[in-house]
Amino acid sequence: MKRIMYLILLGCINCVFAQQNSVEVTYKVDLVETEVSEVLKDIYKIAYDNVKFIDFKLLGYAKESLFYREKLLTNDAEKGADIALTILGAKGRFFTNLENGLVYEDLPAFGEKFIVKHPVITNEWKLTKNSKSIGKYLCYKATTTYVVNNSKGRFEFPVIAWYAPEINLSFGPKNYSGLPGLILELREKDRIFYADKINLGQLDEKQRKLIAPPKGKKPITQAEFDAIGAKIAKERFGGR
């Protein structure tokens, strides 16, 4: 009898670990209304109106994940969605490899495609004891900073993540990962990504094959990408 109970317990443990090996998450996003210049007001209005049509998908398996926007059901809102994605900084697809500590962003920009590599920010998170429940999961707060470099200088914005240690997979939206649990909510500047649906241990073979690094171009750093953007801006607009 003891042996039977042991085997049942072992089977339950193995089942839990199997579930923790992969995850599929649907994220939705809110844009918090904030003060912007007169030049940007119309653009942000379009983004506010269209962000509700956008869903993001996270597929995670073992030490790798892919975060990307799901296709719209119709093309009616595509232009508005494209503007919203630009505001969200999420036009590309983000492939994360926790083994080598890198995130590869497959990013369309300036009429081309770029692959921008970012480090996984494991050591930059500040963990806190603050907690709250998101759905059935107890989540803890972690913070870091979001850095923007442009022609006006360098700017840092706070980032707040709520992660669930119960889901022992260190993935999250965009290039945010490396926490001791899945990120269920993330606020970056005026954007809030939040998990709407979570499926553990249900990735099929086709979904697993999607989780792969982008190909076609040599990866560049964020600094190199920023330099390319600055050069193009200077050529097209005289640095304005």
Side-chain angles (χ1 to χ4, degrees), residues 12-79:
C12 291
I13 292 172
N14 287 336
C15 180
V16 170
F17 278 105
Q19 285 187 332
Q20 295 283 350
N21 196 40
S22 66
V23 68
E24 177 186 8
V25 188
T26 300
Y27 288 93
K28 293 186 177 295
V29 62
D30 285 335
L31 261 177
V32 180
E33 292 200 24
T34 185
E35 289 187 17
V36 295
S37 66
E38 287 295 327
V39 177
L40 295 175
K41 276 188 176 180
D42 289 342
I43 293 176
Y44 267 78
K45 176 64 168 58
I46 295 172
Y48 293 137
D49 291 342
N50 287 275
V51 72
K52 59 180 176 286
F53 298 116
I54 301 172
D55 286 349
F56 292 94
K57 183 76 75 176
L58 172 71
L59 303 176
Y61 178 70
K63 295 290 185 179
E64 297 179 336
S65 72
L66 182 68
F67 179 83
Y68 60 97
R69 183 203 53 157
E70 290 198 287
K71 290 184 178 179
L72 298 177
L73 295 178
T74 67
N75 292 325
D76 295 343
E78 188 63 44
K79 183 177 179 181

Side-chain angles (χ1 to χ4, degrees), residues 28-220:
K28 293 186 177 295
V29 62
D30 285 335
L31 261 177
V32 180
E33 292 200 24
T34 185
E35 289 187 17
V36 295
S37 66
E38 287 295 327
V39 177
L40 295 175
K41 276 188 176 180
D42 289 342
I43 293 176
Y44 267 78
K45 176 64 168 58
I46 295 172
Y48 293 137
D49 291 342
N50 287 275
V51 72
K52 59 180 176 286
F53 298 116
I54 301 172
D55 286 349
F56 292 94
K57 183 76 75 176
L58 172 71
L59 303 176
Y61 178 70
K63 295 290 185 179
E64 297 179 336
S65 72
L66 182 68
F67 179 83
Y68 60 97
R69 183 203 53 157
E70 290 198 287
K71 290 184 178 179
L72 298 177
L73 295 178
T74 67
N75 292 325
D76 295 343
E78 188 63 44
K79 183 177 179 181
D82 191 63
I83 292 172
L85 289 166
T86 301
I87 299 295
L88 296 171
K91 290 189 71 172
R93 296 160 67 93
F94 297 82
F95 169 78
T96 297
N97 187 319
L98 296 175
E99 205 78 77
N100 66 14
L102 289 173
V103 180
Y104 296 92
E105 180 183 1
D106 189 355
L107 177 62
F110 316 121
E112 300 180 43
K113 284 190 69 175
F114 296 87
I115 300 175
V116 184
K117 59 182 179 181
H118 312 270
V120 173
I121 57 176
T122 307
N123 297 324
E124 297 177 20
W125 287 111
K126 294 181 181 178
L127 307 184
T128 77
K129 294 182 179 180
N130 296 346
S131 65
K132 70 174 182 178
S133 292
I134 298 178
K136 65 179 182 178
Y137 297 103
L138 178 64
C139 297
Y140 289 89
K141 180 180 178 181
T143 63
T144 185
T145 54
Y146 164 66
V147 179
V148 174
N149 291 298
N150 56 35
S151 59
K152 295 182 180 179
R154 175 186 170 90
F155 303 90
E156 291 190 4
F157 302 94
V159 174
I160 298 173
W162 293 90
Y163 66 95
E166 187 178 340
I167 306 176
N168 190 26
L169 293 166
S170 299
F171 304 126
K174 293 177 62 176
N175 58 316
Y176 295 99
S177 55
L179 283 167
L182 182 70
I183 297 175
L184 300 190
E185 182 179 304
L186 179 101
R187 177 163 184 168
E188 176 197 52
K189 200 179 176 185
D190 53 359
R191 316 139 192 172
I192 302 175
F193 297 84
Y194 58 94
D196 183 57
K197 297 177 184 177
I198 304 171
N199 292 315
L200 288 171
Q202 296 184 25
L203 292 189
D204 56 32
E205 191 64 29
K206 183 178 179 181
Q207 289 174 311
R208 291 182 186 180
K209 287 182 177 179
L210 287 176
I211 308 172
K215 298 178 181 179
K217 297 197 77 171
K218 180 181 178 181
I220 60 175

